[in-house]
Amino acid sequence: MPNFCAAPNCTGKSTQSDLAFFRFPRDPERCQNWVENCRRADLEAKTSDQLNKHYRLCAKHFDPAMVCKTSPYRTVLKDTAIPTIFDLTSHLKNPHNRHRKRIKELTEEDLRKIKERRLASSIEQLASKKDGAVEDSSSTNEDEPQLSTEEKEFRDHLRSLFEVVVMLGKQSIPIVACKVSKAEHVSSNLQALVDYRMNAGDEALKKRFQATAVNTEYLSATQQSQLLDVCENTVREEMLMEVRESRFFSLVTGDLVDFANEKHLPLFLRYVNQQNVLREEFLDFMSFDGDENALVERLEAQLTDRWGLSMEECRGQAHKATGTSTTKMKAVAVLLMQKYPLALHMPCSHMALNIHLANSLPFPNVQVVMETLRRVKVFLSTPFAQEELEKAISTHYQENEEKGNTLKLACGSEWTEKHSVFDVLLDMLPPLLLCMDSIRDNDDGTFSDAVTADAYSITETLSDFEIIVTIIILKNVLTFTRAFGKNLQGETLDVFFAANSLTAVLHSLNEVNDNIDVYHEFWYEEAVSVANVMEIPVNVPRLFLRKQRAADAGEVHAEVYFKEYVTVPVIHGVMQEVEDMFSETNLKALKCLSLVPAVMGQMKFNTTEENYAEVYRTDLPSPDTLPAELHCWRIKWKHRGKEVRLPTTIHETLQLPDVKFFPNVNSFLKVLSALPALKLEDNKSDTASDRLQAYLDSMSSKQWNKSLAMLNVNTHVKHDLDVMVDKYCRLYPEDDPEAEAESEEVAEAEAESEAVAEAEAVAKSEEVAEEDAMK
């Protein structure tokens, strides 16, 4: 239940995460001062204890010098603090409005007393400001005596619980433990660790446990959920504070994750923090239910209503979608760009462009190839599978050891996620089938039945001629985008030249499309040759033939079929996706990378950023002075000393001490840095998406927990246990010992009144009986 501010005309409530609330003091004299300043006659009749229990004032009503913020969430008052800032007139604008908090009319005598008291208070505050450093250091300790013994014990108990929850998240320990057998059930890991801490001597937990009723669960599922929510929200709020300070951000989504048979979309945010370092952080999971419009509304509500961000300041979006979710996420991107034109849809720097383009093609045969690639990657991670593949490569390429060794190196380093994935897959097809056949035979019993079943399924898929043709078409078409994609994932200079080379890429694709008959003939012959080597029959898919017979259509030759249903759709789909992902606005943004000094130097300082700056004009502090500032920026680097090295990245440029003297350039670079197409500066550390995948891989899907995933992925974020305790007490005041005591008092009063009423009823019935007897 939220707390509401007792001040007249104030609508503050404790659900506002950035607003601190303070109890009325227990000291009668000081409490009386608070009441008089509030000007509420209905509070004058209440005791200081009653006011302390039931009424609060928010921080808006205190001089800022009297409020000490010891952390982003923990705020305390100095002992001499008295509320002096009130709105006592706004209700007069609407005299017919009903007010729950009536304002007391003051007499001249009341005004005189208040002036005297405020004068004395000002003198005290002035003295306290002089000793501010000393009082600030001890403010927390001064505020502690206001807590009762029960409250202190309750907070210590909560602190121990939060410490256990944080440890579970950091160590990837699931909340729910697996059952040992059908008859035996192990309690939750959280409860087990709490029991262990009590046995190890944690007095706060032990006291709370001993005070719990015999048949009451010590740590209920509801309280576990509350603890997890508070931990998750505290960590998220810590990161959101950085995002709000940086202002501009980009939205990145990951592969769908299945929680309790419901698909969820991982949400990441990219931004440049106050140290001018580009960050990409995982913030939450969002339900994937509903159509594209529902998903867009849910995304907007998540970012604006829940996180306090503005979609008007979103400068990019990237969606790592696979399978059936691809079409839906493309529609989401289009809808978001219609509402927010500067939320540019770009490929994510984590994924090779060719992988992204193939995933974006909504054709069943292409999606089967991409899904098979993911299955092969998982399959080869099983014990002994990689060794079996290397044996098969040696066997197949025994007459060409050099190529065999090259292929072994290629398949051992995340080859399914590289730009050249389809080239490697094509070379690996014969040994891969040989490997799968060997695992299926399982002569020495090395592999389990589940592994041999997977090998059989993969073999059946790769032995289909339609899949062979699709792989070869993808390999050849995406050859034209491979160098372009590599440059996009390269250094800033590479990205800049990639943006300027797009015209050549599209020209090459158009040339293929114009001469599709010639290209398809060569590609089809290559597919037939590979199929003959692997002893795979060349034929039209059975499903298509059945439809042809049902429609009583003529016979279709395989070459014509694959041209119409594979080659033409793939080349058209790739061309359309490249044009959509790199629109004129997107290219203008990437060409603005010429602001980086190394790029300017490569272009002989003959760059024209102002031609593209119109895209971000509203983001600049002084757009009218941009041309002059850019001229000074070029001159600065053109006439630098010989010993001065040109910064090669946005990060290096933003770290320069004198970049602050170029405010437009500084803002420009920060906006560009957050674009999802640009790689993160610190490549040595795992990305948030890698850490999330590591958490999901570390345990069974039945044990996944969204809150623990949040804690595990963001272990680098500060975990302040006191902040968590404060937030818990604010969000769930019904768990507070004083609230419990108050409810007990109310229950006792009700029981007492019921007893009195019952006694009166008994007495009345006896009187009636005596009267009847007398009659």
Side-chain angles (χ1 to χ4, degrees):
M1 187 175 71
N3 295 317
F4 293 90
C5 183
N9 296 323
C10 182
T11 58
K13 55 184 178 180
S14 59
T15 53
Q16 297 171 255
S17 60
D18 59 342
L19 188 60
F21 275 75
F22 307 105
R23 297 172 183 268
F24 275 67
R26 284 197 177 93
D27 177 67
E29 184 178 353
R30 188 169 165 229
C31 184
Q32 185 62 26
N33 292 341
W34 283 37
V35 172
E36 288 182 359
N37 285 9
C38 280
R39 295 266 301 274
R40 282 187 56 182
D42 59 315
L43 299 184
E44 292 181 352
K46 301 185 182 298
T47 66
S48 58
D49 286 339
Q50 290 174 324
L51 291 167
N52 178 265
K53 284 184 180 180
H54 305 296
Y55 293 91
R56 312 282 190 274
L57 285 180
C58 68
K60 296 178 183 178
H61 308 293
F62 295 86
D63 186 311
M66 296 291 103
V67 180
C68 304
K69 197 157 189 173
T70 59
S71 78
Y73 301 97
R74 185 171 177 78
T75 307
V76 297
L77 277 180
K78 296 182 179 179
D79 273 349
T80 57
I82 292 177
T84 56
I85 305 169
F86 292 95
D87 173 15
L88 303 174
T89 59
S90 63
H91 66 286
L92 300 176
K93 298 177 182 178
N94 188 7
H96 301 291
N97 189 27
R98 295 182 62 188
H99 293 278
R100 180 175 59 85
K101 299 177 280 191
R102 297 284 182 183
I103 298 176
K104 177 184 177 182
E105 298 296 333
L106 297 179
T107 63
E108 292 184 2
E109 181 65 18
D110 292 332
L111 290 172
R112 184 182 63 78
K113 290 180 180 179
I114 289 175
K115 286 180 181 179
E116 291 176 355
R117 190 175 293 111
R118 285 186 178 175
L119 179 60
S121 175
S122 299
I123 294 172
E124 289 179 4
Q125 290 183 7
L126 182 61
S128 66
K129 287 179 182 178
K130 292 180 180 179
D131 301 325
V134 177
E135 292 191 9
D136 284 345
S137 62
S138 59
S139 59
T140 304
N141 294 330
E142 290 173 358
D143 190 63
E144 290 294 337
Q146 293 191 12
L147 297 175
S148 65
T149 304
E150 292 80 6
E151 286 177 313
K152 287 181 181 178
E153 291 177 353
F154 178 69
R155 295 173 72 86
D156 289 341
H157 152 257
L158 283 178
R159 201 178 192 285
S160 295
L161 291 179
F162 279 121
E163 196 171 351
V164 171
V165 172
V166 170
M167 190 273 288
L168 287 174
K170 285 185 176 182
Q171 300 299 325
S172 295
I173 301 174
I175 287 284
V176 181
C178 296
K179 291 184 178 181
V180 178
S181 65
K182 292 183 179 180
E184 185 180 359
H185 179 74
V186 179
S187 64
S188 76
N189 288 327
L190 178 57
Q191 183 65 64
L193 284 171
V194 169
D195 293 342
Y196 176 81
R197 285 195 61 143
M198 284 193 291
N199 294 331
D202 191 319
E203 293 299 327
L205 290 175
K206 192 178 294 185
K207 284 182 180 180
R208 187 76 177 177
F209 175 74
Q210 291 171 350
T212 306
V214 175
N215 295 322
T216 303
E217 190 176 4
Y218 174 65
L219 196 60
S220 66
T222 301
Q223 190 176 12
Q224 288 186 29
S225 177
Q226 291 171 350
L227 292 169
L228 289 168
D229 286 344
V230 169
C231 280
E232 176 186 351
N233 292 330
T234 303
V235 173
R236 183 185 298 113
E237 186 60 30
E238 192 75 29
M239 292 184 289
L240 285 174
M241 286 174 65
E242 279 196 339
V243 181
R244 296 185 196 111
E245 289 172 354
S246 66
R247 185 182 170 190
F248 300 112
F249 64 91
S250 287
L251 172 67
V252 179
T253 63
D255 286 329
L256 294 179
V257 179
D258 202 345
F259 284 106
N261 298 322
E262 183 180 352
K263 295 187 181 302
H264 287 78
L265 192 67
L267 302 181
F268 304 82
L269 289 184
R270 272 197 179 205
Y271 61 93
V272 179
N273 64 15
Q274 293 300 299
Q275 289 72 44
N276 290 328
V277 177
L278 176 61
R279 307 290 303 172
E280 183 176 300
E281 304 290 5
F282 168 65
L283 274 92
D284 204 358
F285 292 100
M286 188 186 73
S287 174
F288 195 65
D289 286 345
D291 59 11
E292 295 84 358
N293 291 300
L295 199 56
V296 169
E297 290 179 6
R298 200 176 299 127
L299 265 173
E300 288 182 287
Q302 185 94 338
L303 269 71
T304 56
D305 298 342
R306 291 187 57 191
W307 294 353
L309 304 176
S310 171
M311 283 300 296
E312 298 291 344
E313 293 171 349
C314 179
R315 291 294 171 265
Q317 51 174 321
H319 307 291
K320 184 182 176 182
T322 55
T324 55
S325 65
T326 306
T327 305
K328 188 174 178 179
M329 291 310 300
K330 286 171 68 175
V332 167
V334 171
L335 291 172
L336 283 174
M337 281 196 68
Q338 288 175 355
K339 287 187 173 184
Y340 312 101
L342 288 182
L344 304 180
H345 183 207
M346 292 184 168
C348 185
S349 62
H350 304 323
M351 182 184 289
L353 179 64
N354 281 356
I355 298 286
H356 172 82
L357 292 173
N359 279 332
S360 300
L361 299 176
F363 311 124
N365 53 328
V366 176
Q367 291 303 319
V368 168
V369 170
M370 300 311 294
E371 178 58 30
T372 304
L373 269 174
R374 291 187 284 272
R375 291 176 60 195
V376 167
K377 176 186 175 182
V378 174
F379 183 86
L380 293 178
S381 65
T382 57
F384 307 113
Q386 186 70 28
E387 294 179 15
E388 202 67 39
L389 177 61
E390 291 181 2
K391 290 179 186 176
I393 292 174
S394 298
T395 302
H396 183 77
Y397 289 103
Q398 56 186 343
E399 296 180 0
N400 189 348
E401 289 187 15
E402 183 178 355
K403 185 171 183 179
N405 292 332
T406 303
L407 195 57
K408 287 179 185 178
L409 291 175
C411 72
S413 55
E414 300 293 331
W415 63 275
T416 58
E417 298 175 5
K418 293 190 173 181
H419 300 276
S420 57
V421 56
F422 300 108
D423 298 78
V424 177
L425 177 60
L426 191 58
D427 289 337
M428 197 183 290
L429 271 178
L432 189 58
L433 282 181
L434 189 62
C435 167
M436 295 299 167
D437 289 340
S438 175
I439 292 175
R440 285 170 57 192
D441 293 340
N442 199 21
D443 294 331
D444 54 0
T446 302
F447 301 98
S448 65
D449 292 342
V451 173
T452 57
D454 286 342
Y456 176 79
S457 177
I458 292 173
T459 302
E460 289 298 302
T461 302
L462 294 178
S463 300
D464 188 341
F465 183 66
E466 183 180 21
I467 298 303
I468 302 297
V469 174
T470 303
I471 292 172
I472 289 174
I473 300 302
L474 287 171
K475 183 208 73 166
N476 287 289
V477 172
L478 294 177
T479 299
F480 298 101
T481 60
R482 187 194 305 167
F484 175 71
K486 282 184 177 179
N487 284 337
L488 275 181
Q489 288 189 317
E491 300 300 328
T492 306
L493 187 61
D494 299 324
V495 179
F496 175 77
F497 284 127
N500 287 279
S501 68
L502 181 66
T503 303
V505 174
L506 289 174
H507 176 77
S508 299
L509 292 172
N510 274 301
E511 195 270 335
V512 172
N513 186 50
D514 293 339
N515 300 279
I516 193 68
D517 292 334
V518 178
Y519 281 96
H520 175 71
E521 183 179 349
F522 283 108
W523 297 343
Y524 182 75
E525 288 178 2
E526 183 182 0
V528 171
S529 175
V530 171
N532 290 335
V533 170
M534 299 170 61
E535 299 178 348
I536 295 174
V538 176
N539 52 28
V540 177
R542 179 184 59 82
L543 182 60
F544 178 79
L545 290 176
R546 191 178 69 183
K547 291 181 179 178
Q548 288 291 99
R549 295 192 194 99
D552 198 20
E555 185 179 354
V556 176
H557 293 288
E559 183 175 353
V560 176
Y561 167 82
F562 287 112
K563 173 193 168 184
E564 182 178 351
Y565 290 98
V566 181
T567 304
V568 173
V570 167
I571 189 68
H572 288 175
V574 169
M575 289 172 62
Q576 187 62 52
E577 186 65 18
V578 170
E579 290 176 356
D580 291 344
M581 295 295 292
F582 301 98
S583 63
E584 183 180 354
T585 305
N586 293 26
L587 291 179
K588 282 183 178 180
L590 294 178
K591 288 178 180 179
C592 289
L593 292 173
S594 58
L595 283 168
V596 176
V599 181
M600 295 171 67
Q602 190 71 24
M603 301 297 293
K604 307 299 182 185
F605 299 97
N606 186 26
T607 55
T608 54
E609 298 86 2
E610 53 265 35
N611 294 339
Y612 313 119
E614 195 63 30
V615 177
Y616 298 117
R617 184 176 180 82
T618 57
D619 298 338
L620 305 179
S622 306
D624 295 333
T625 64
L626 179 64
E629 188 176 314
L630 289 176
H631 176 72
C632 295
W633 182 250
R634 293 190 203 99
I635 295 299
K636 166 185 168 59
W637 296 106
K638 186 175 183 179
H639 298 290
R640 72 194 186 282
K642 291 183 179 179
E643 71 284 353
V644 177
R645 187 182 70 88
L646 293 174
T648 58
T649 65
I650 295 180
H651 175 70
E652 280 187 50
T653 309
L654 287 173
Q655 296 301 321
L656 297 172
D658 52 352
V659 74
K660 61 186 177 183
F661 299 116
F662 299 87
N664 286 315
V665 172
N666 192 25
S667 299
F668 219 143
L669 290 173
K670 286 184 177 181
V671 175
L672 292 175
S673 184
L675 293 178
L678 302 181
K679 70 174 185 177
L680 296 169
E681 298 291 343
D682 188 7
N683 290 324
K684 295 180 181 178
S685 62
D686 294 334
T687 62
S689 57
D690 292 335
R691 296 195 297 273
L692 174 60
Q693 191 59 50
Y695 170 81
L696 298 175
D697 292 340
S698 66
M699 63 186 73
S700 165
S701 59
K702 295 180 180 179
Q703 296 177 313
W704 290 345
N705 182 281
K706 292 190 288 184
S707 297
L708 290 185
M710 181 74 177
L711 291 172
N712 182 265
V713 175
N714 297 301
T715 52
H716 60 287
V717 179
K718 181 177 66 176
H719 298 78
D720 192 326
L721 299 178
D722 291 327
V723 170
M724 294 178 184
V725 171
D726 288 342
K727 181 173 283 190
Y728 187 95
C729 292
R730 190 167 67 245
L731 292 176
Y732 307 106
E734 64 273 11
D735 292 338
D736 191 283
E738 289 200 356
E740 294 175 4
E742 183 182 335
S743 62
E744 289 176 5
E745 291 175 5
V746 172
E748 288 176 4
E750 290 178 353
E752 186 177 346
S753 62
E754 289 178 2
V756 170
E758 186 177 349
E760 290 178 351
V762 170
K764 188 173 183 179
S765 62
E766 289 177 354
E767 290 178 2
V768 171
E770 289 177 2
E771 290 178 0
D772 291 341
M774 290 176 66
K775 290 178 180 179

